[in-house]
Amino acid sequence: MPPGMIMGPDGKPCKICTAFRNWKPRSGSNIEPSPADPSSASGKDKNPFTIMAAAFGAAATGSTTTTSSNAPSYRPDEPPPGCPPDVEQLGRATWTFLHTTAAYYPDNPTPTQRASMLALLEALPVLYPCSWCATDFGRDMKTNPPDLSGRVALARWLCERHNAVNRKLGKEVFDCAKTDERWKDGPSDGRCD
């Protein structure tokens, strides 16, 4: 089995739990692991949590680069356009959705809004496609129950959950005082207006 490949609960390789760069390239494929990617070269990240958590701790990156001829060149460590997402793309999209949802959660939620948000969060450990990710998030939610009292509290709780993963991976943590700037209002310089 290639380094970084994650096995699913069924004992088979879990495609949605594994970063694309860690899938063994098929013969004849023009997609090769990135030589700059330490996990593809050395195989040092064999821990399933480390591999899956990369999705939750990864910073958002673009999926294309531009060559000198200005033709798009797709990154060899990400699935080509039109392919199902890998664990890192799914993780970035999920965190974006969750942080943005928290940014627009009411300051004074109704009991129905609280119940709906709790149901959404509790659904992740049950329904999230990556079983490793789901299990880890479920464990973290049991230890650190969500604060659904209002928008600011929920945004902070979610930021802290995301930072917990960043710490596990040795990644930089996000300043939770800047959640509105990042996920709702945009920076004060107006570049997002």
Side-chain angles (χ1 to χ4, degrees), residues 83-137:
C83 292
D86 72 350
V87 69
E88 292 174 347
Q89 290 175 326
L90 179 64
R92 284 190 299 268
T94 302
W95 280 118
T96 297
F97 168 72
L98 291 173
H99 285 298
T100 305
T101 301
Y104 287 89
Y105 185 69
D107 288 321
N108 297 302
T110 66
T112 299
Q113 289 168 324
R114 287 180 188 217
S116 294
M117 180 56 73
L118 184 59
L120 172 66
L121 295 170
E122 288 179 338
L124 289 171
V126 177
L127 298 173
Y128 198 72
C130 170
S131 58
W132 290 98
C133 308
T135 300
D136 184 65
F137 191 70

Side-chain angles (χ1 to χ4, degrees), residues 1 5-15 17-18 23 132:
M1 196 163 69
M5 176 66 66
I6 304 297
M7 299 302 283
D10 60 1
K12 297 178 182 175
C14 178
K15 191 170 191 174
C17 300
T18 304
W23 275 92
W132 290 98

